[in-house]
Amino acid sequence: YHTHRLDAVVAGYICGDEYVTNGDVPPHTRVGLVLNRTCAYAEAGGQVGDRGEIAWDGKNFLFEQTQRINGAVVHWGATDSDTLTVGSKVVITISLDREDTARHHTATHLLQWALQEVLGKHAHQEGSLVCPDYLRFDFTHPQALTAEELRRVETLVNEKIQEAWPVTAAILPQSQARQLGAMALFSEKYGDEVRVLAIGADHPDTLDVAFSKEFCGGTHVTNTRDIGGFKIIREESVATGVRRITAVTGRAL
Protein backbone atom coordinates (compact mmCIF):
# COMPACT_ATOMS: atom_id res chain seq x y z
CA TYR A 1 0.00 0.00 0.00
CA HIS A 2 3.00 2.32 -0.43
CA THR A 3 1.80 3.34 -3.91
CA HIS A 4 -1.42 4.63 -5.43
CA ARG A 5 -0.66 3.42 -8.96
CA LEU A 6 0.48 0.06 -10.31
CA ASP A 7 0.81 -1.82 -13.62
CA ALA A 8 -1.08 -5.13 -13.61
CA VAL A 9 -2.74 -7.82 -15.72
CA VAL A 10 -6.37 -8.96 -15.55
CA ALA A 11 -6.32 -12.48 -14.08
CA GLY A 12 -10.10 -13.08 -14.10
CA TYR A 13 -13.42 -11.82 -12.84
CA ILE A 14 -16.36 -12.86 -10.68
CA CYS A 15 -19.81 -12.64 -12.26
CA GLY A 16 -22.70 -14.00 -10.19
CA ASP A 17 -21.31 -17.06 -8.42
CA GLU A 18 -18.77 -17.91 -11.15
CA TYR A 19 -15.07 -17.06 -11.41
CA VAL A 20 -14.10 -16.67 -15.08
CA THR A 21 -10.45 -16.87 -16.21
CA ASN A 22 -10.78 -16.32 -19.98
CA GLY A 23 -12.61 -14.22 -22.55
CA ASP A 24 -14.09 -10.71 -22.37
CA VAL A 25 -15.34 -9.00 -19.25
CA PRO A 26 -19.06 -8.26 -19.82
CA PRO A 27 -19.85 -4.52 -20.15
CA HIS A 28 -22.64 -2.75 -18.22
CA THR A 29 -22.49 -5.53 -15.60
CA ARG A 30 -21.26 -5.37 -12.01
CA VAL A 31 -18.36 -7.80 -11.71
CA GLY A 32 -15.47 -8.40 -9.35
CA LEU A 33 -12.22 -7.90 -11.23
CA VAL A 34 -9.14 -9.84 -10.08
CA LEU A 35 -5.64 -8.69 -11.09
CA ASN A 36 -2.32 -10.50 -10.90
CA ARG A 37 -1.25 -7.82 -8.39
CA THR A 38 -2.85 -4.79 -6.80
CA CYS A 39 -2.13 -1.83 -4.53
CA ALA A 40 -5.78 -1.64 -3.39
CA TYR A 41 -6.59 -2.27 0.28
CA ALA A 42 -9.32 -4.89 0.70
CA GLU A 43 -11.96 -4.25 3.38
CA ALA A 44 -10.70 -5.66 6.69
CA GLY A 45 -10.19 -4.82 10.35
CA GLY A 46 -12.89 -2.17 10.35
CA GLN A 47 -11.29 -0.25 7.47
CA VAL A 48 -13.31 0.14 4.28
CA GLY A 49 -11.85 -1.11 1.02
CA ASP A 50 -10.23 1.24 -1.46
CA ARG A 51 -12.00 2.79 -4.42
CA GLY A 52 -10.37 3.70 -7.70
CA GLU A 53 -9.93 3.09 -11.41
CA ILE A 54 -8.51 0.34 -13.60
CA ALA A 55 -7.56 1.79 -16.99
CA TRP A 56 -6.48 0.48 -20.42
CA ASP A 57 -6.41 1.96 -23.94
CA GLY A 58 -8.10 5.18 -22.81
CA LYS A 59 -10.97 3.25 -21.19
CA ASN A 60 -11.63 2.52 -17.52
CA PHE A 61 -13.27 0.22 -14.99
CA LEU A 62 -14.38 2.16 -11.93
CA PHE A 63 -14.45 0.12 -8.73
CA GLU A 64 -16.29 1.33 -5.64
CA GLN A 65 -15.50 -1.55 -3.29
CA THR A 66 -12.56 -3.87 -2.68
CA GLN A 67 -12.89 -7.17 -0.83
CA ARG A 68 -10.72 -10.20 -0.13
CA ILE A 69 -12.35 -13.46 -1.22
CA ASN A 70 -10.52 -16.79 -0.80
CA GLY A 71 -7.17 -15.03 -0.71
CA ALA A 72 -7.81 -12.89 -3.81
CA VAL A 73 -8.38 -9.13 -3.80
CA VAL A 74 -11.59 -8.43 -5.73
CA HIS A 75 -12.36 -4.99 -7.22
CA TRP A 76 -16.13 -4.53 -7.60
CA GLY A 77 -17.40 -2.27 -10.35
CA ALA A 78 -18.44 -2.13 -13.98
CA THR A 79 -17.16 -1.03 -17.38
CA ASP A 80 -18.98 0.50 -20.33
CA SER A 81 -16.43 -0.99 -22.73
CA ASP A 82 -16.48 -4.44 -24.32
CA THR A 83 -12.71 -4.38 -24.94
CA LEU A 84 -11.51 -5.54 -21.52
CA THR A 85 -10.29 -9.12 -21.76
CA VAL A 86 -8.72 -11.52 -19.29
CA GLY A 87 -4.99 -11.14 -19.86
CA SER A 88 -5.24 -7.42 -20.70
CA LYS A 89 -2.52 -5.12 -19.37
CA VAL A 90 -4.02 -2.39 -17.18
CA VAL A 91 -3.05 0.36 -14.75
CA ILE A 92 -4.78 0.52 -11.37
CA THR A 93 -5.01 3.89 -9.60
CA ILE A 94 -6.31 4.27 -6.05
CA SER A 95 -8.59 7.16 -5.09
CA LEU A 96 -6.99 9.77 -2.84
CA ASP A 97 -9.79 8.95 -0.38
CA ARG A 98 -7.27 6.48 1.02
CA GLU A 99 -5.28 9.35 2.56
CA ASP A 100 -8.35 10.47 4.50
CA THR A 101 -9.01 6.88 5.60
CA ALA A 102 -5.40 6.55 6.76
CA ARG A 103 -5.74 9.72 8.87
CA HIS A 104 -8.84 8.33 10.54
CA HIS A 105 -7.24 4.92 11.09
CA THR A 106 -4.14 6.27 12.84
CA ALA A 107 -6.45 8.49 14.88
CA THR A 108 -8.32 5.41 16.16
CA HIS A 109 -5.04 4.15 17.61
CA LEU A 110 -4.43 7.49 19.30
CA LEU A 111 -8.01 7.40 20.58
CA GLN A 112 -7.53 3.93 22.09
CA TRP A 113 -4.38 5.15 23.86
CA ALA A 114 -6.10 8.34 25.13
CA LEU A 115 -9.16 6.46 26.42
CA GLN A 116 -6.94 4.21 28.52
CA GLU A 117 -5.06 7.23 29.82
CA VAL A 118 -8.29 8.96 30.91
CA LEU A 119 -10.58 6.04 31.82
CA GLY A 120 -8.19 3.20 32.66
CA LYS A 121 -6.86 0.02 31.06
CA HIS A 122 -10.31 -1.57 31.00
CA ALA A 123 -11.25 0.69 28.04
CA HIS A 124 -10.52 -1.76 25.25
CA GLN A 125 -11.56 -1.73 21.62
CA GLU A 126 -14.67 -3.76 20.79
CA GLY A 127 -14.93 -2.77 17.13
CA SER A 128 -14.41 0.09 14.71
CA LEU A 129 -15.27 1.56 11.34
CA VAL A 130 -12.69 3.61 9.49
CA CYS A 131 -13.63 5.43 6.28
CA PRO A 132 -12.68 8.66 4.46
CA ASP A 133 -15.40 10.72 6.15
CA TYR A 134 -15.17 9.72 9.83
CA LEU A 135 -14.10 7.10 12.36
CA ARG A 136 -16.31 5.11 14.69
CA PHE A 137 -14.75 3.43 17.72
CA ASP A 138 -16.50 1.04 20.14
CA PHE A 139 -14.90 0.36 23.53
CA THR A 140 -15.66 -1.16 26.91
CA HIS A 141 -16.77 1.28 29.60
CA PRO A 142 -19.72 0.99 32.01
CA GLN A 143 -21.13 4.52 31.70
CA ALA A 144 -21.30 7.63 29.55
CA LEU A 145 -18.22 9.80 29.48
CA THR A 146 -18.53 13.15 31.19
CA ALA A 147 -17.93 16.38 29.29
CA GLU A 148 -14.59 16.73 31.08
CA GLU A 149 -13.51 13.18 30.17
CA LEU A 150 -14.36 13.79 26.51
CA ARG A 151 -12.43 17.06 26.58
CA ARG A 152 -9.38 15.35 28.08
CA VAL A 153 -9.48 12.53 25.51
CA GLU A 154 -9.76 14.98 22.62
CA THR A 155 -6.97 17.14 24.03
CA LEU A 156 -4.61 14.18 24.47
CA VAL A 157 -5.15 13.02 20.89
CA ASN A 158 -4.57 16.52 19.49
CA GLU A 159 -1.42 16.92 21.57
CA LYS A 160 0.02 13.73 20.06
CA ILE A 161 -0.89 14.99 16.59
CA GLN A 162 0.86 18.32 17.21
CA GLU A 163 3.92 16.61 18.69
CA ALA A 164 4.52 14.94 15.30
CA TRP A 165 5.27 11.40 16.44
CA PRO A 166 6.57 8.90 13.83
CA VAL A 167 4.38 5.94 12.88
CA THR A 168 6.06 2.62 12.07
CA ALA A 169 4.86 -0.86 11.14
CA ALA A 170 6.64 -4.20 11.42
CA ILE A 171 5.82 -7.85 10.76
CA LEU A 172 6.64 -9.93 13.84
CA PRO A 173 6.00 -13.40 15.25
CA GLN A 174 2.79 -13.17 17.26
CA SER A 175 4.56 -14.21 20.46
CA GLN A 176 7.13 -11.42 20.08
CA ALA A 177 4.40 -8.87 19.36
CA ARG A 178 2.57 -9.83 22.54
CA GLN A 179 5.80 -9.62 24.56
CA LEU A 180 6.17 -6.04 23.30
CA GLY A 181 2.74 -5.32 24.76
CA ALA A 182 0.96 -4.83 21.42
CA MET A 183 -2.82 -4.83 21.85
CA ALA A 184 -5.03 -7.17 19.87
CA LEU A 185 -8.78 -7.50 19.39
CA PHE A 186 -9.87 -10.43 21.53
CA SER A 187 -12.49 -11.44 18.94
CA GLU A 188 -9.95 -11.65 16.08
CA LYS A 189 -7.98 -14.72 15.05
CA TYR A 190 -4.31 -14.11 14.26
CA GLY A 191 -1.68 -16.16 12.45
CA ASP A 192 1.85 -16.97 13.55
CA GLU A 193 3.02 -13.60 12.20
CA VAL A 194 1.24 -10.29 12.76
CA ARG A 195 1.68 -6.68 11.68
CA VAL A 196 2.28 -4.30 14.57
CA LEU A 197 1.49 -0.60 14.11
CA ALA A 198 3.55 1.51 16.51
CA ILE A 199 3.18 5.23 17.22
CA GLY A 200 6.24 6.84 18.77
CA ALA A 201 8.90 4.63 17.17
CA ASP A 202 10.82 5.68 14.06
CA HIS A 203 12.21 2.25 13.13
CA PRO A 204 10.95 -1.36 13.33
CA ASP A 205 13.89 -2.18 15.64
CA THR A 206 12.75 0.36 18.25
CA LEU A 207 9.08 -0.59 18.67
CA ASP A 208 9.56 -0.98 22.41
CA VAL A 209 9.77 2.82 22.84
CA ALA A 210 6.39 3.44 21.16
CA PHE A 211 3.55 4.64 23.39
CA SER A 212 0.93 2.92 21.19
CA LYS A 213 1.38 -0.61 19.81
CA GLU A 214 -1.46 -2.56 18.21
CA PHE A 215 -1.98 -5.52 15.91
CA CYS A 216 -3.18 -3.87 12.67
CA GLY A 217 -3.08 -4.57 8.94
CA GLY A 218 -4.60 -1.26 7.84
CA THR A 219 -3.23 1.83 6.11
CA HIS A 220 -1.81 4.66 8.21
CA VAL A 221 -0.03 7.99 8.03
CA THR A 222 3.74 8.01 8.58
CA ASN A 223 3.64 10.80 11.15
CA THR A 224 0.86 11.89 13.51
CA ARG A 225 1.09 15.49 12.25
CA ASP A 226 -0.38 14.27 8.94
CA ILE A 227 -3.71 13.64 10.74
CA GLY A 228 -4.16 17.41 10.95
CA GLY A 229 -6.56 17.49 13.90
CA PHE A 230 -9.14 15.44 15.80
CA LYS A 231 -12.69 16.29 16.87
CA ILE A 232 -15.19 14.09 18.74
CA ILE A 233 -18.68 14.64 17.34
CA ARG A 234 -20.67 12.03 19.27
CA GLU A 235 -20.44 9.65 22.25
CA GLU A 236 -23.19 7.09 22.84
CA SER A 237 -24.10 3.63 24.11
CA VAL A 238 -24.29 0.69 21.69
CA ALA A 239 -24.68 -2.17 24.19
CA THR A 240 -24.46 -2.85 27.91
CA GLY A 241 -20.96 -1.86 28.95
CA VAL A 242 -19.97 -0.75 25.44
CA ARG A 243 -19.69 2.89 24.36
CA ARG A 244 -19.13 4.39 20.92
CA ILE A 245 -17.21 7.50 19.90
CA THR A 246 -17.60 9.01 16.44
CA ALA A 247 -14.93 11.51 15.41
CA VAL A 248 -13.43 13.27 12.40
CA THR A 249 -9.92 14.29 11.36
CA GLY A 250 -8.07 16.17 8.64
CA ARG A 251 -10.21 17.46 5.77
CA ALA A 252 -13.39 16.22 7.50
CA LEU A 253 -12.97 18.73 10.35
Side-chain angles (χ1 to χ4, degrees):
Y1 314 121
H2 296 290
T3 180
H4 286 77
R5 183 180 174 91
L6 192 69
D7 294 329
V9 174
V10 178
Y13 64 92
I14 297 173
C15 187
D17 58 359
E18 183 180 10
Y19 179 56
V20 183
T21 57
N22 56 71
D24 297 335
V25 178
H28 312 290
T29 304
R30 189 172 189 269
V31 300
L33 210 60
V34 178
L35 308 179
N36 68 325
R37 61 179 187 157
T38 184
C39 52
Y41 181 84
E43 179 181 351
Q47 180 176 327
V48 298
D50 281 337
R51 298 180 291 185
E53 171 187 272
I54 296 169
W56 74 100
D57 297 333
K59 303 177 178 64
N60 60 53
F61 175 99
L62 299 177
F63 61 95
E64 80 287 345
Q65 185 180 22
T66 310
Q67 295 179 319
R68 186 175 296 276
I69 301 176
N70 291 335
V73 175
V74 183
H75 312 77
W76 290 100
T79 177
D80 288 336
S81 172
D82 58 3
T83 64
L84 183 58
T85 303
V86 175
S88 295
K89 294 181 178 180
V90 297
V91 177
I92 178 172
T93 304
I94 306 304
S95 168
L96 292 179
D97 285 350
R98 179 199 281 175
E99 300 301 324
D100 296 318
T101 301
R103 292 183 183 97
H104 282 117
H105 204 156
T106 306
T108 66
H109 288 227
L110 291 177
L111 176 58
Q112 168 70 95
W113 167 82
L115 285 168
Q116 292 199 341
E117 290 291 303
V118 173
L119 304 177
K121 297 301 181 183
H122 69 275
H124 199 281
Q125 181 180 347
E126 284 293 307
S128 66
L129 173 65
V130 182
C131 64
D133 302 319
Y134 64 94
L135 69 87
R136 195 176 71 202
F137 190 81
D138 298 346
F139 60 98
T140 50
H141 190 60
Q143 61 199 31
L145 274 67
T146 66
E148 174 60 17
E149 288 170 335
L150 287 171
R151 186 196 65 78
R152 288 170 58 199
V153 168
E154 190 173 272
T155 297
L156 283 174
V157 172
N158 278 305
E159 285 177 351
K160 292 301 182 186
I161 292 172
Q162 294 162 9
E163 289 166 2
W165 289 93
V167 181
T168 302
I171 306 296
L172 300 173
Q174 184 182 153
S175 58
Q176 182 181 349
R178 292 189 183 278
Q179 287 174 0
L180 280 171
M183 286 191 289
L185 273 175
F186 296 127
S187 59
E188 291 286 327
K189 294 181 179 179
Y190 299 97
D192 293 336
E193 288 192 328
V194 296
R195 182 171 181 261
V196 174
L197 195 286
I199 306 176
D202 59 6
H203 191 276
D205 293 338
T206 61
L207 298 189
D208 57 320
V209 304
F211 64 85
S212 169
K213 298 182 284 288
E214 295 190 40
F215 290 23
C216 185
T219 62
H220 290 268
V221 300
T222 57
N223 190 289
T224 58
R225 65 168 172 259
D226 298 331
I227 298 171
F230 175 84
K231 177 68 176 177
I232 295 173
I233 58 176
R234 185 163 55 254
E235 191 271 346
E236 59 193 324
S237 172
V238 291
T240 302
V242 179
R243 308 296 301 179
R244 170 175 292 169
I245 283 178
T246 303
V248 292
T249 71
R251 296 192 302 173
L253 285 170

